[in-house]
Amino acid sequence: MSSSQVSRRRAIALAGAGVAGVAGAAAIGGALARQDSAPSAAPVADQVAFYGPVQAGIVTPAQDRLHFVAFDVLTKDRDRLIQLLKDWTAAAARMTAGKDAGEVGAVAGILEAPPDDTGEAIGLPAAGLTITIGFGPTLFRDATGKDRFGLAARKPAALADLPHFPGDTIDAALSAGDIGVQACANDPQVAVHAIRNLARIGMGVVSVRWSQLGFGRTSSTSTTQATPRNLFGFKDGTANLKAEETDLLREHLWAATGDGPEWMAGGSYMVTRKIRMLIETWDRTSLGEQEDIVGRTKGEGAPIGQGQEFDEPDLTSTSILADAHVRLAHPTTNSGAHLLRRGYNFVDGSDGLGRLNAGLFFIAYQRDPRTHFVPIQLNLARHDAMNEYLRHVSSGLFACPPGVSGPDDYWGRALFA
Amino acid sequence: MRRTPLILALVTVSAVAACGDKSDDTAASAGGPIAVKASDTACEVGKNTLDAGTHVFQIANSGNKVTEFYVYAAGDRVMGEVENITPGLSRELRVELPAGTYQTACKPGMIGAGIRADLTVSGSAAPLTEDAALAQATESYSRYITSQSEALVEKTTDFVTAVKGGDIEKSKTLFPIARTYYERIEPVAEIFGDLDPKIDGREDDATAELPFSGFHKIEKDLWATKDISKDGPVADQLLTDVKEVVAKAKAEKLSPLQLANGAKELLDEVANSKITGEEDRYSHTDLWDFAANVDGSQAAVAALRPALEQRNPDLVKQIDTAFTNVDNELAKYRVGDGWKYQNELSQTELKGLSDVINALAEPISKIAGVIAQK
Ligand code: HEM
Ligand SMILES: [Cu+2]
């Protein structure tokens, strides 16, 4: 059998399995050369650097697929939790490089033991996989206020529980969590493989609280990307924070020294909202009303009253209605707050009433939710004409630490130091 | 209620009386009022042929149930109606009838298709121009709003009185009935900013500026907390708000396009919040609202009917069939003069309702396009 260190991609190249393998192998060199630079646009079979000052998967050009998971921490033992974070970090470094989750691999171990990789990604490239971790408010203090792991004093003020927003129909069982992990890739199997292996490695120490698949990106996080469409059929991600906007990212995305506890400097806060979209009733809404609700045209995606997608909306004009989504969400309506949105379309089958259980798994990163997501969402929840067709069913909030600097570092080291 | 108040620029349509703008009551005064003997099982109308013109019906309710009386043109377009004729009471309906075939109906218990009889009106009938047909839609729907709003105020007053009297059982019985009239005219009620959220807002829509109030606050106290002793001010405010909405609604003239959208939105309401049990989550009386939303939708479509008949008769047929299917499906859950509770229906039964509503909403969503065409 092959060497225990063989990568999935090399296994294919050795077997002479053709184009994908060869292209993948070629990509390794490029990825290594890029390791310390900021993540940049990655073609489909490519690898995104895992190590770096910030976590990958935030300003990385949004990949096409998502598997998100929230875990409850079961153990009461701080050291076991730290060990798990180390194991996870190592597995994530391997998987994002297109390798098996464990050192032995899916099929190279002894026949008597379960493999240390589940195997469904054998033969698949890295596919731009990024794995991004965040810590929820309950990791610091549980519902009864107990300091579970001696972390309470390090809880950032910005990690304050999100308020109830008007119209919320949040299902607690689908919400929150001690640890959230976002896996994004250009191949759904690769994203699922990543989450599945983290859950397997964490068995007994953590348990899966809820999880969500997203099948298509609903945002662009780089000016190099074309704007995708959400399930209302509208371009989504036109006006978004983009990797290239370094000044805005510094101001609105990354937590800085002095913002709060030092372990979060270079990190970012992630808000997740699973938003059911009532697409059947939306589909019988007239085109004009749909455009009025969004505040943009459906075809081009231009602000109402302008011609081109990237024209600035004219909010002084009444042609963008008072209750239009883009007016209410726009930075000028929200004391200048910008979000980096990184959401995904989902369809979780149907709901038993002849309707698709579909919507948008909204993810937004920001420097401080109290000045960004919360006021924007309050504004939307109160006035957005789109609410007629939306139901927020799950809510999550996670503090994502800065990046992992190298093989000796691990996720959250500064937090537990 | 809708999740967000509608902000609509209202187009006021000039009231064009379609044919024979007769203000004199020659026909009525000549023959005197037409007597209608209404009971729980019968509806005897004094005449079944009339001359074109304005007529007055005098409806006397000798039954034990509250009744209503309607004069319908084809497709159940309401030419005139009186709601809420309590037992022992007698009421008048004044209605202008151009030549054509009509139906009269009494609705003991105020539900269902009613006890029907044919009515033929003869005389010269000039065919409507397309524009006149559209203008008539606005007028015809205005009549509907007027009659519904009067009943809404009466029924809300009864409900509020029961609540303030601390009578939980009576309040529970009156709750879905008062709501029926509100849900029928919801597309109009929603136009007036914060009034709909105040009257019909749900607990999770509440904000610091607009605290939980209105029907659903009292509903929660009736069914969940089982304590209405502190709801006097909430009840008073509800009645004040209802009266305000009614005053505004009566003065409003919905354009044909707004009617078309209103008919669709009422069905979206059914699909999004009644079938799911979201609206009446404590009382589970969602099927009352369901039926009321469908009634309201049908009234809006009926008002547009003459115009639709001219422009797209096939669509009218499709809509008629789809309405019948909804009525039949809903009829399975009738209990006396009311309905089963939403939480008594199985998932399969709810799916059945969802399917007929979607099947109806589909052709109804096409009306606006047909109306907009020149
Ligand atoms: C299912 C729910 C949602 C849908 C379908 C949706 C859809 C859209 C669409 C079509 C646009 C216009 C395209 C663009 O500028 O990118 C947009 C813009 C935007 N949305 Fe949403 N959105 C949803 C939820 C949210 C939520 C929950 C928030 C934040 C609280 C949000 C914040 C924004 C922002 C900040 C913009 C850009 C506005 C601007 O700067 O002009 N959206 N959304
Ligand atoms: Cu309602």
Side-chain angles (χ1 to χ4, degrees):
Chain A
M1 276 216 188
S2 51
S3 135
S4 66
Q5 294 296 321
V6 74
S7 79
R8 295 199 309 256
R9 161 179 321 110
R10 196 136 10 103
I12 298 240
L14 289 174
V19 186
V22 175
I28 289 183
L32 289 175
R34 279 208 310 268
Q35 259 178 19
D36 287 326
S37 62
S40 59
V44 170
D46 209 347
Q47 150 182 355
V48 177
F50 178 70
Y51 300 116
V54 299
Q55 288 197 69
I58 301 175
V59 292
T60 307
Q63 302 94 321
D64 284 331
R65 319 291 182 146
L66 166 81
H67 191 181
F68 190 95
V69 68
F71 292 103
D72 287 328
V73 176
L74 301 176
T75 187
K76 294 191 170 69
D77 181 346
R78 180 181 159 111
D79 292 336
R80 276 192 82 185
L81 176 58
I82 292 175
Q83 188 55 49
L84 174 64
L85 289 167
K86 289 180 179 169
D87 294 346
W88 270 357
T89 309
R94 300 178 56 82
M95 291 190 286
T96 52
K99 297 179 188 162
D100 283 341
E103 296 203 337
V104 178
V107 293
I110 56 168
L111 292 175
E112 290 74 15
D116 66 6
D117 181 281
T118 53
E120 72 272 28
I122 293 175
L124 300 178
L129 175 67
T130 56
I131 305 176
T132 314
I133 198 168
F135 303 119
T138 47
L139 188 70
F140 299 83
R141 276 187 197 281
D142 68 14
T144 66
K146 188 163 163 261
D147 181 359
R148 301 167 68 191
F149 300 104
L151 298 174
R154 294 172 169 238
K155 183 182 172 193
L159 199 62
D161 287 340
L162 299 177
H164 167 93
F165 297 99
D168 269 2
T169 49
I170 302 294
D171 178 352
L174 280 183
S175 298
D178 298 331
I179 299 179
V181 182
Q182 167 201 282
C184 298
N186 291 312
D187 181 327
Q189 183 104 335
V190 169
V192 168
H193 171 259
I195 295 298
R196 175 179 176 191
N197 279 274
L198 295 184
R200 181 184 55 78
I201 293 167
M203 202 62 71
V205 184
V206 294
S207 89
V208 172
R209 181 177 170 85
W210 55 274
S211 131
Q212 182 66 49
L213 281 180
F215 69 82
R217 65 180 171 100
T218 60
S219 77
S220 301
T221 53
S222 163
T223 53
T224 60
Q225 292 186 291
T227 315
R229 287 180 187 267
N230 60 35
L231 293 181
F232 283 160
F234 277 74
K235 285 188 185 170
D236 199 342
T238 304
N240 196 20
L241 277 181
K242 307 258 159 103
E244 293 77 8
E245 300 171 322
T246 5
D247 290 347
L248 285 174
L249 297 184
R250 198 177 312 115
E251 195 183 334
H252 294 282
L253 180 65
W254 303 117
T257 297
D259 282 6
E262 189 54 27
W263 67 268
M264 266 301 284
S268 190
Y269 294 88
M270 168 174 56
V271 171
T272 66
R273 305 282 288 185
K274 180 174 183 175
I275 308 173
R276 172 93 186 258
M277 289 158 53
L278 304 174
I279 57 175
E280 289 78 10
T281 41
W282 175 266
D283 291 346
R284 46 188 187 243
T285 303
S286 71
L287 179 60
E289 193 177 338
Q290 292 184 7
E291 293 188 336
D292 279 346
I293 289 171
V294 174
R296 287 181 175 272
T297 61
K298 198 167 184 178
E300 167 68 21
I304 304 282
Q306 319 285 326
Q308 307 287 318
E309 181 186 352
F310 291 99
D311 290 349
E312 219 2 68
D314 176 8
L315 298 184
T316 61
S317 145
T318 50
S319 52
I320 297 183
L321 301 184
D323 57 358
H325 183 73
V326 298
R327 173 186 290 278
L328 296 165
H330 198 71
T332 54
T333 320
N334 297 282
S335 322
H338 288 255
L339 294 171
L340 184 136
R341 289 175 287 133
R342 217 175 184 289
Y344 287 84
N345 294 320
F346 72 83
V347 176
D348 295 353
S350 52
D351 70 353
L353 292 175
R355 310 184 296 180
L356 292 182
N357 186 350
L360 191 155
F361 187 74
F362 174 92
I363 301 177
Y365 288 92
Q366 63 237 275
R367 184 172 176 177
D368 188 339
R370 295 169 302 171
T371 51
H372 286 67
F373 177 79
V374 172
I376 299 174
Q377 177 55 22
L378 266 179
N379 208 7
L380 292 175
R382 287 185 181 144
H383 308 294
D384 193 355
M386 200 184 271
N387 292 339
E388 188 76 22
Y389 304 93
L390 303 181
R391 298 286 184 275
H392 286 239
V393 295
S394 123
S395 180
L397 172 65
F398 304 94
C400 304
V404 177
S405 60
D408 296 333
D409 194 7
Y410 67 92
W411 275 329
R413 185 178 46 80
L415 170 60
F416 287 90
Chain B
M1 78 154 245
R2 280 169 66 105
R3 312 289 296 201
T4 336
L6 261 188
I7 303 176
L8 277 184
L10 279 184
V11 185
T12 305
V13 172
S14 59
V16 179
C19 26
D21 196 1
K22 276 194 204 167
S23 45
D24 58 319
D25 292 358
T26 36
S29 46
I34 304 153
V36 179
K37 289 183 201 158
S39 69
D40 292 351
T41 49
C43 183
E44 290 170 33
V45 181
K47 290 182 179 170
N48 57 15
T49 54
L50 295 172
D51 291 333
T54 302
H55 296 274
V56 177
F57 293 85
Q58 178 86 41
I59 307 102
N61 183 5
S62 62
N64 294 315
K65 291 179 177 179
V66 179
T67 195
E68 301 168 340
F69 179 75
Y70 289 77
V71 179
Y72 288 121
D76 284 0
R77 181 159 65 94
V78 179
M79 298 304 292
E81 62 171 318
V82 259
E83 300 267 344
N84 197 28
I85 312 165
T86 42
L89 212 77
S90 169
R91 284 200 169 183
E92 273 191 3
L93 169 67
R94 178 175 298 258
V95 55
E96 190 191 310
L97 296 173
T101 50
Y102 300 89
Q103 282 195 320
T104 52
C106 297
K107 292 192 187 177
M110 304 193 294
I111 51 162
I115 305 162
R116 304 262 179 147
D118 290 333
L119 177 68
T120 310
V121 177
S122 47
S124 59
L128 291 179
T129 65
E130 291 207 357
D131 287 348
L134 278 182
Q136 207 188 45
T138 299
E139 284 311 300
S140 157
Y141 191 71
S142 276
R143 285 198 293 272
Y144 180 74
I145 292 295
T146 303
S147 69
Q148 297 300 316
S149 355
E150 278 160 10
L152 171 61
V153 172
E154 287 191 41
K155 289 297 167 189
T156 309
T157 307
D158 292 352
F159 174 64
V160 160
T161 309
V163 170
K164 291 176 73 181
D167 189 338
I168 292 201
E169 282 320 306
K170 191 167 179 201
S171 305
K172 281 184 170 179
T173 320
L174 292 174
F175 171 80
I177 296 173
R179 288 187 57 74
T180 294
Y181 297 98
Y182 189 74
E183 292 284 329
R184 282 183 183 162
I185 62 165
E186 209 165 355
V188 193
E190 280 168 347
I191 292 170
F192 312 110
D194 279 348
L195 278 171
D196 178 54
K198 279 169 81 181
I199 294 170
D200 198 27
R202 321 230 181 98
E203 188 168 19
D204 38 42
D205 294 315
T207 58
E209 307 91 82
L210 272 183
F212 188 31
S213 67
F215 276 121
H216 295 302
K217 165 77 175 113
I218 301 175
E219 178 199 3
K220 183 179 183 186
D221 291 336
L222 283 171
W223 273 273
T225 58
K226 300 187 167 59
D227 175 11
I228 51 171
S229 60
K230 292 178 203 69
D231 281 342
V234 183
D236 284 336
Q237 188 60 46
L238 173 63
L239 188 57
T240 309
D241 292 338
V242 160
K243 283 182 176 160
E244 190 181 339
V245 108
V246 158
K248 289 186 166 170
K250 281 186 183 168
E252 212 57 71
K253 299 261 181 250
L254 290 198
S255 72
L257 216 49
Q258 285 176 315
L259 286 181
N261 287 327
K264 182 192 81 77
E265 275 158 16
L266 280 163
L267 299 178
D268 289 349
E269 278 271 320
V270 174
N272 290 345
S273 62
K274 273 51 176 213
I275 293 176
T276 56
E278 198 179 290
E279 175 95 38
D280 299 313
R281 64 187 65 163
Y282 311 105
S283 63
H284 307 293
T285 54
D286 301 89
L287 255 48
W288 276 261
D289 292 17
F290 183 127
N293 285 160
V294 172
D295 284 348
S297 180
Q298 193 157 18
V301 173
L304 292 166
R305 190 178 184 97
L308 284 177
E309 291 272 22
Q310 288 168 351
R311 293 170 184 223
N312 192 338
D314 284 347
L315 184 64
V316 175
K317 281 197 199 97
Q318 273 180 48
I319 292 173
D320 283 349
T321 312
F323 265 119
T324 309
N325 292 341
V326 170
D327 288 345
N328 292 342
E329 193 66 24
L330 196 55
K332 294 180 185 167
Y333 311 111
R334 168 153 296 155
V335 177
D337 289 345
W339 306 94
K340 272 196 173 180
Y341 295 110
Q342 191 270 353
N343 58 348
E344 293 174 337
L345 267 61
S346 71
Q347 189 73 9
T348 317
E349 292 172 325
L350 292 172
K351 168 96 172 16
L353 286 172
S354 176
D355 286 347
V356 289
I357 284 295
N358 281 333
L360 171 61
E362 190 51 37
I364 284 195
S365 70
K366 299 197 176 120
I367 296 180
V370 172
I371 295 297
Q373 273 162 24
K374 258 288 153 197

